[in-house]
């Protein structure tokens, strides 16, 4: 009662077409999005997973008594199905749901949360008359974190969507219901969009791993390194948010500091030569950004690029 009233007051009460939700794939994404929808007045009518164990765990969190490892547990009055299985199984799952005889497909909305797949993955359901779209949460939900720690990060996020005009309209309403926003991704650019998400999250984590590895050389432990680097990391993000990567860029490359950059490469070669390809590639990207910033001349950019190549190309020649 309280939840529904709160949702109505905030203007997010579920539209008629999205009041009864079945979650298929009771992992991190299914459980977290299900929880935010529950908070906003959607009733979870079924939780289905590959194993009953996962289904039961998620169902408990989502206050749903109907859980199963079989699609036949999806009740006939369902009007929204969220498929949050690994992307390799989305098409198979869609095909199996399309075979259910108790569902009114014409009244059904079905979406999947894969970053790689488009709405086409749900073609068997669309053929039956369901409204289908892709609905990829542009957020990272680490599997090892408890659900309650992840839920706050699911509010106010973007969802990468595609589908027919009618489907996009419903996808946008679903994003609003989740207190988020929709971002239309042309199907032909889906893989590129997903690669961009990988750069934003996974490559950022990899970069933090590099900082951790490098700072171990001057005595910082796995736990200490973040405390030490947090101010510079957060300021970099904040400065970028307030302006742009180009304007936020500082440092030796942006200043065209040939000697400093040369010394950096010599130090990386000495203390962790395995990082030279990474350091080289990112330095080249920094040179490109410094050119866009207009802080270095074309000649200075070429000189910096030569330093990078002298360390990275000679290294690959050194390999057996
Ligand atoms: N994690 C993220 O950061 C993130 C972010 C955005 C989008 N996504 C996408 O969202 C989807 C789910 O990701 P996730 O991180 O939640 O994965 P996950 O934690 O591994 O959960 C996937 C769930 O799907 C279930 N499952 C697997 N095959 C199934 C099938 N054939 N039928 C029914 N259930 C099945 C698994 O069940 P059992 O546990 O019973 O084996 C598991 O609970 C993926 O497509 C992923 O690419 C993930």
């Amino acid at each position: 009662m309280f939840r529904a009233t709160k949702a109505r007051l905030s203007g997010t009460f579920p539209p008629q077409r999205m009041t009864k939700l079945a979650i298929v794939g009771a992992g991190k994404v299914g459980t977290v999005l299900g929880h935010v929808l529950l908070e906003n007045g959607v009733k979870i009518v079924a939780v289905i997973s590959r194993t009953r164990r996962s289904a039961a765990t998620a169902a408990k969190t989502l206050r749903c008594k109907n859980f199963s490892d079989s699609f036949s547990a999806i009740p006939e009055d369902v009007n929204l199905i969220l498929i949050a299985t690994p992307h390799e199984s989305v098409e198979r799952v869609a095909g199996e749901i399309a075979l259910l005889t108790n569902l009114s497909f014409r009244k059904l909305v079905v979406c999947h949360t894969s970053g790689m797949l488009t709405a086409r993955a749900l073609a068997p359901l669309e053929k039956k008359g369901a409204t289908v779209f892709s609905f990829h949460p542009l957020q990272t939900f680490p599997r090892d974190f408890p659900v309650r720690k992840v839920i706050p990060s699911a509010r106010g996020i973007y969802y990468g969507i595609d589908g027919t005009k009618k489907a996009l309209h419903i996808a946008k309403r679903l994003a609003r219901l989740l207190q988020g926003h929709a971002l239309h991704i042309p199907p032909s650019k889906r893989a590129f969009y997903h690669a961009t998400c990988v750069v934003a999250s996974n490559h950022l984590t990899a970069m933090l791993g590099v900082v951790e590895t490098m700072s171990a050389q001057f005595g910082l432990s796995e736990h200490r390194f973040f405390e030490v680097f947090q101010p510079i990391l957060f300021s970099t993000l904040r400065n970028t948010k307030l302006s742009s990567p180009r304007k936020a860029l500082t440092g030796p490359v942006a200043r065209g500091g040939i000697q400093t950059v040369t010394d950096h490469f010599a130090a990386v070669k000495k203390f962790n030569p395995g990082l030279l390809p990474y350091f080289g590639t990112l330095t080249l990207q920094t040179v490109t950004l410094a050119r866009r910033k207009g802080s270095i001349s074309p000649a200075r950019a070429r000189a910096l690029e030569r330093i990078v190549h002298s360390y990275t190309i000679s290294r690959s020649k050194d390999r057996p």
Side-chain angles (χ1 to χ4, degrees), residues 220-277:
L220 293 185
S221 67
E222 188 187 357
H223 302 294
R224 218 29 235 304
F225 101 93
F226 197 84
E227 178 198 327
V228 172
F229 282 91
Q230 182 170 316
I232 193 171
L233 286 167
F234 282 19
S235 291
T236 305
L237 289 177
R238 186 171 166 274
N239 296 344
T240 304
K241 182 182 174 182
L242 292 176
S243 55
S244 66
R246 178 172 61 87
K247 288 188 179 153
L249 185 67
T250 60
V253 170
R255 290 193 294 270
I258 301 281
Q259 190 55 53
T260 306
V261 173
T262 308
D263 291 349
H264 285 173
F265 272 92
V268 173
K269 187 177 180 186
K270 181 172 177 189
F271 293 108
N272 195 334
L275 285 176
L276 278 174

Side-chain angles (χ1 to χ4, degrees), residues 135 156-160 172 175-176 179-183:
F135 195 73
I157 64 173
Y158 278 79
Y159 293 86
K172 284 176 192 164
R176 274 206 298 278
Q179 303 168 16
H181 320 273
L183 180 69

Side-chain angles (χ1 to χ4, degrees), residues 25-29 49-51 54 84-86 113 136-137 139 141 143:
K28 204 54 92 193
V29 171
S49 209
R50 198 177 53 84
T51 60
S54 297
T85 63
T113 60
H136 170 244
Q139 180 56 286
F141 303 105
R143 285 179 195 154

